[in-house]
Amino acid sequence: MNILEEKGKQLVISWFNTIDSTHKYLVSEIKNKNITEPVLIGADFQSDGIGSRGNAWIGKSGNIFISFCVKEKQLPKDLPLASTSIYFAWLAKEVLTRYGSKVWIKWPNDIYVQEKKIGGVLTMKTGDFIIGSMGINVTEAPPEFGVLDVLVSPREFANAFLEFLDKKITWKKVFSKYKIEYENHKEYFFHLGDEIKSLKDAKLCQDGSIEIENKRVYGLR
């Protein structure tokens, strides 16, 4: 059930008590042409969320589950579309650090606190829209994951995130900070297809991709 619709900002916010997946819902609504303007979908609980590489991302009330869509013209002109996952994740970090969190971003779209993943960003392009979906563990997580080190309500986070998105912070500015963080966490690993690779063997490129084994790998997924 839709319990909140707010049109005071650039994007309309629609909030649900419960939903199977904010990402699946948004993709379906766009394909069915029920959504023609930028929108953010949020939920208190999702039962069948999607993570990267087709993994599930499910959690109870209090965790953050949002999906949003924007037109390319609403993003910074210098942003490489293949690096929107990095860009959206970095904006989420900027929001959370305002609350005192020590979150950091592991290439390309994983949100970490200390040594544990607490969330991530999934991006895709559908028609004229760039879709971003985000899940962050705030109140609880499976044993292999962590939780956010500060308390923030999902709706408060969503509003603050949209304020950052509306600023159209340039990719140049985001990347100048991100590349420093990348060098500090090269002891971590990432998935390249079905293989696990070390970031210490990868070179970060200006467009947000990495170069490894004479291949360019991009973070859009």
Side-chain angles (χ1 to χ4, degrees):
M1 179 180 68
N2 187 307
I3 59 173
L4 172 68
E5 186 169 288
E6 180 181 345
K7 298 184 179 181
K9 292 186 171 57
Q10 183 182 11
L11 278 74
V12 174
I13 299 176
S14 292
W15 207 273
F16 293 79
N17 286 323
T18 183
I19 199 170
D20 59 344
S21 165
T22 59
H23 180 81
K24 291 178 183 177
Y25 176 87
L26 186 55
V27 171
S28 175
E29 290 294 284
I30 290 174
K31 288 183 177 179
N32 291 329
K33 301 188 184 304
N34 293 326
I35 290 177
T36 57
E37 296 297 330
V39 66
L40 182 145
I41 305 297
D44 293 327
F45 170 79
Q46 68 173 12
S47 59
D48 192 25
I50 297 177
S52 60
R53 302 182 306 279
N55 294 323
W57 192 269
I58 301 169
K60 292 186 178 179
S61 181
N63 290 348
I64 293 170
F65 313 104
I66 63 170
S67 294
F68 54 92
C69 62
V70 294
K71 300 287 182 68
E72 288 185 37
K73 64 183 180 181
Q74 293 176 291
L75 296 172
K77 293 181 179 180
D78 68 335
L79 174 61
L81 291 184
S83 289
T84 49
S85 287
I86 296 174
Y87 184 79
F88 293 149
W90 191 266
L91 294 187
K93 174 187 171 173
E94 291 287 347
V95 171
L96 295 173
T97 54
R98 296 291 177 94
Y99 290 92
S101 175
K102 303 296 183 183
V103 296
W104 58 277
I105 309 301
K106 182 179 77 66
W107 191 91
N109 62 348
D110 292 333
I111 304 172
Y112 271 65
V113 167
Q114 296 181 351
E115 292 81 27
K116 286 197 172 184
K117 179 177 176 178
I118 67 160
V121 179
L122 179 71
T123 59
M124 64 179 292
K125 189 175 188 299
T126 298
D128 296 332
F129 285 112
I130 304 296
I131 297 175
S133 294
M134 193 176 301
I136 301 175
N137 298 326
V138 178
T139 58
E140 70 162 19
E144 67 272 26
F145 294 96
V147 295
L148 188 64
D149 52 350
V150 295
L151 187 62
V152 56
S153 76
R155 298 188 204 187
E156 189 176 359
F157 171 85
N159 278 284
F161 179 81
L162 291 187
E163 289 178 6
F164 270 89
L165 189 63
D166 193 39
K167 291 179 181 179
K168 293 186 180 180
I169 301 171
T170 65
W171 169 250
K172 181 179 179 181
K173 185 173 182 179
V174 168
F175 184 76
S176 67
K177 297 178 181 179
Y178 177 74
K179 66 181 179 181
I180 297 173
E181 185 162 278
Y182 175 85
E183 293 298 326
N184 291 336
H185 299 102
K186 291 188 72 172
E187 70 271 22
Y188 286 82
F189 298 84
F190 72 101
H191 286 83
L192 180 57
D194 295 328
E195 298 181 89
I196 296 177
K197 301 289 185 179
S198 173
L199 285 171
K200 70 180 181 181
D201 300 321
K203 174 187 174 184
L204 182 65
C205 303
Q206 290 290 322
D207 63 355
S209 65
I210 56 174
E211 189 174 299
I212 185 170
E213 299 175 354
N214 296 317
K215 298 178 183 177
R216 291 289 285 271
V217 183
Y218 293 86
L220 182 62
R221 56 187 183 183

